[in-house]
Amino acid sequence: MNPVFAGAFAIPCAGAARYLLDEAGWRAVAGEPALRFIAMWADESAVIALLQDATGARVMATVAVEQGFFPGLSLWHPEAAMFERMIRDLWGYNAVGGTDGRPLFDYGHWRLAHPLGRPTPPFAAPEPAITGFAHKGTLALMRGKPARVAARFAARVDGRATVAHAIAYAHAVEAASRTPAPARAERLREIMGTLEIAGGALDRIGRIAEAAGAPVLQGRADRLREALARAAGAAFGHRLMMDCVVPGGVVVDVSADGPGALDALRRSVREAAVPALVEASLGGRLRDLPLVAARLAACVAQVDNGVQELGARLEALPQGAVMQASLVMAGEGIGMADGPSGGILHWLRLEGGHIGGAFILDPAWAASEACAMEVAAAAPEDRAIVRAAHGVLASGMDL
Amino acid sequence: MNALWQAVWHNLFARHPRAVSAARRDMTLLHRDCGSCNGCEIELRLALSIAHDSTRRGLSLASSPQQADTMLVTGPVTHNTQAHLGATWDAMPDPKFVVALGDCAIDGGVFRGSYAVAGGAGSTLPVDLAIRGCPPTARQILDALGGDTTPVS
Ligand code: SF4
């Protein structure tokens, strides 16, 4: 444990150590170089910062909100500025010493301001929106709903990562209620997650090919993406596997046609020979774009690995139930999963089996700024390719 | 517009974009994401890709409102996009049509009632055609938009 947390009150949260700090302790955390800032959000009258210590362990620092104010972190951690803007828009808590006063999501168009804090009438729009177009009020819609019902919103944070978000959410609920899903369900989730990542990789290959003007590669990637959606639909009943993963397990076991459909997919991928086609159609074009080339290579590997392993994994599925009901109604937990664009984290608090508070950290938070910077640095004729390789879309961050 | 009036309006005036003239075979679609989760976009992209050979079905995407005859709305219409959506619609030449693609675009879907969501496309535009599903599959999208539906392997 980092010494800045010595003597701090520990709040139980499954998946990460969580400490309650006074203002001096919070400032000590802010200035501690061994702690890396990851994200920040709020809960009832408190602000929570998620950090990573030198060992890679996650730790949460909590500070009370006094009269609507809390000590900001953006002076020490510039990445915190976006989260401070979100906290003011959604909860109405102001960061003292915050470096960016602009809104992030709320431009005065909502029915009410500060929907997650003490709602007030909306205010006049200060400037045109550049973020927040896709803000749907997901966290407010989840709050107060039974954990199983709120899963539908977790599955719609980003449709390209619907399985990954549903897994991270389910893991958080299962951690909070100390009731793990059955082994068979966990393995089925992994299979769905791998398929989703392969689908996302095909999607990105198709977009890069489109931006680079490589129609043969684009066509092949799009055809495989369609084949993957069909195989997923045959195996799990939904082409994107949306709502298949819920707290406690999965709602569907693999269908009788599943193994055959997934094996046909594996053969199509092999026959399509994407790696050779990528090299032939884009090898020269990407020589001066090493970041794009690296991202494309990662996508090619994701398609291959994801699909090749499926048969062995289906064979190795443990027998047993795919759903485990939980009787524990209260607790707090963190859950994680890997999605097509990177790691996803869900934090939530259960109250009487309902969602008391939640936050969803999509990779778009970290990627959007990096993407904007890379696109700006690229030559004008390369910008579309750089953007396609990043694949950053708003919904995951806008919540 | 309330739900009853919307239903009446729809029954009286709704037209399929293809129904204007028998000779009309092509549709030039302007896609507007008004807050979608990106799920509908995956299926739409596949529907318009070579995997379904949509050019043979006379469907193509426009890059500006001035070129388009059909507005394709995905996602619940968030309050932050509503004004923008209206302005884009106004910039499209007549005759023009609105397709609500997916449950969110029909009535807000799971996001209905949120402080940040105005509702479906009908909250802002006169919807001519609704395509149900969360998301509708590429095939359902193409079937609804009509045209040559010969399966492509
Ligand atoms: S209808 Fe479903 S898939 Fe489409 S945007 Fe809404 S939640 Fe996403």
Side-chain angles (χ1 to χ4, degrees), chain A residues 294-378:
Chain A
R295 294 214 168 86
L296 185 60
C299 289
V300 171
Q302 281 171 339
V303 175
D304 237 42
N305 298 342
V307 177
Q308 300 311 331
E309 291 167 10
L310 287 175
R313 285 178 168 192
L314 284 171
E315 290 276 306
L317 276 177
Q319 293 302 314
V322 295
M323 197 68 178
Q324 167 72 54
S326 170
L327 298 173
V328 183
M329 294 305 214
E332 191 182 309
I334 271 184
M336 290 190 296
D338 269 329
S341 311
I344 289 165
L345 184 145
H346 284 230
W347 167 86
L348 55 81
R349 194 164 49 76
L350 284 179
E351 276 175 4
H354 291 55
I355 302 296
F359 184 68
I360 298 169
L361 184 64
D362 186 85
W365 278 97
S368 58
E369 214 142 312
C371 174
M373 264 152 53
E374 261 179 65
V375 169

Side-chain angles (χ1 to χ4, degrees), chain B residues 2-4 10 15 17 23 41 70 88 107 114 120 123-125 133 136 145 150:
Chain B
N2 69 36
L4 179 67
H10 199 271
R15 323 147 288 178
E41 276 70 10
T70 305
T88 311
D107 61 2
S114 163
S123 67
T124 312
L125 305 178
L145 292 179
T150 326

Side-chain angles (χ1 to χ4, degrees), chain A residues 156 240 242, chain B residues 36-41 74-76 101-105 110-111 133-136:
Chain A
R156 285 162 181 77
L240 307 183
M242 200 175 252
Chain B
S36 149
C37 81
N38 305 322
C40 282
E41 276 70 10
T74 55
L101 178 77
D103 289 350
C104 284
V110 298
F111 303 105
C134 180

Side-chain angles (χ1 to χ4, degrees), chain A:
Chain A
M1 183 180 76
N2 192 295
V4 291
F5 297 114
F9 180 73
I11 303 168
C13 173
R18 181 175 169 195
Y19 300 101
L20 183 60
L21 302 164
D22 57 15
E23 201 174 320
W26 175 265
R27 296 223 187 267
V29 165
E32 170 60 47
L35 293 171
R36 192 167 76 83
F37 176 88
I38 299 176
M40 183 156 73
W41 61 88
D43 196 18
E44 282 162 5
S45 303
V47 167
I48 301 168
L50 178 68
L51 308 140
Q52 200 168 31
D53 70 13
T55 67
R58 282 174 310 280
V59 42
M60 292 153 79
T62 310
V63 71
V65 175
E66 311 261 5
Q67 322 257 326
F69 290 91
F70 70 97
L73 294 183
S74 49
L75 215 51
W76 290 272
H77 303 284
E79 319 88 281
M82 279 205 297
F83 293 95
E84 289 174 358
R85 293 162 67 190
M86 170 196 69
I87 289 171
R88 196 190 35 244
D89 284 356
L90 297 185
W91 281 273
Y93 304 155
N94 296 287
V96 176
T99 57
D100 194 337
R102 293 173 300 165
L104 191 72
F105 297 154
D106 186 359
Y107 295 87
H109 304 308
W110 300 344
R111 267 210 315 275
L112 44 89
H114 315 140
L116 295 173
R118 194 169 299 133
T120 54
F123 54 89
E127 58 187 283
I130 45 168
T131 46
F133 279 117
H135 179 78
K136 298 179 270 294
T138 299
L139 298 179
L141 287 165
M142 290 171 82
R143 199 153 71 173
K145 298 229 168 49
R148 173 68 192 268
V149 175
R152 290 177 65 75
F153 299 100
R156 285 162 181 77
V157 172
D158 184 349
R160 298 169 309 163
T162 175
V163 173
H165 272 288
I167 293 175
Y169 171 80
H171 281 164
V173 174
E174 288 153 11
S177 60
R178 300 177 291 287
T179 314
R184 185 177 174 87
E186 205 53 66
R187 297 290 92 76
L188 283 166
R189 288 173 177 179
E190 285 167 14
I191 291 173
M192 293 184 205
T194 320
L195 262 182
E196 177 173 83
I197 289 174
L202 283 168
D203 191 65
R204 207 175 293 188
I205 295 170
R207 286 171 195 272
I208 295 172
E210 184 176 10
V216 179
L217 177 61
Q218 185 195 343
R220 212 168 287 180
D222 287 350
R223 282 206 176 93
L224 283 179
R225 180 71 189 86
E226 170 67 29
L228 189 145
R230 267 185 215 169
F236 301 110
H238 189 290
R239 280 158 59 94
L240 307 183
M241 299 167 283
M242 200 175 252
D243 300 324
C244 290
V245 174
V246 294
V250 294
V251 293
V252 280
D253 207 325
V254 62
S255 74
D257 301 337
L262 294 173
D263 195 54
L265 174 67
R266 180 184 62 78
R267 271 184 277 115
S268 312
V269 168
R270 199 185 51 209
E271 282 157 21
V274 172
L277 187 59
V278 163
E279 182 50 39
S281 37
L282 293 180
R285 178 78 174 83
L286 299 185
R287 205 140 293 146
D288 299 329
L289 295 169
L291 277 176
V292 175
R295 294 214 168 86
L296 185 60
C299 289
V300 171
Q302 281 171 339
V303 175
D304 237 42
N305 298 342
V307 177
Q308 300 311 331
E309 291 167 10
L310 287 175
R313 285 178 168 192
L314 284 171
E315 290 276 306
L317 276 177
Q319 293 302 314
V322 295
M323 197 68 178
Q324 167 72 54
S326 170
L327 298 173
V328 183
M329 294 305 214
E332 191 182 309
I334 271 184
M336 290 190 296
D338 269 329
S341 311
I344 289 165
L345 184 145
H346 284 230
W347 167 86
L348 55 81
R349 194 164 49 76
L350 284 179
E351 276 175 4
H354 291 55
I355 302 296
F359 184 68
I360 298 169
L361 184 64
D362 186 85
W365 278 97
S368 58
E369 214 142 312
C371 174
M373 264 152 53
E374 261 179 65
V375 169
E381 66 274 18
D382 293 334
R383 291 203 174 131
I385 303 184
V386 172
R387 203 174 288 118
H390 252 288
V392 173
L393 289 178
S395 183
M397 180 182 150
D398 275 359
L399 293 170

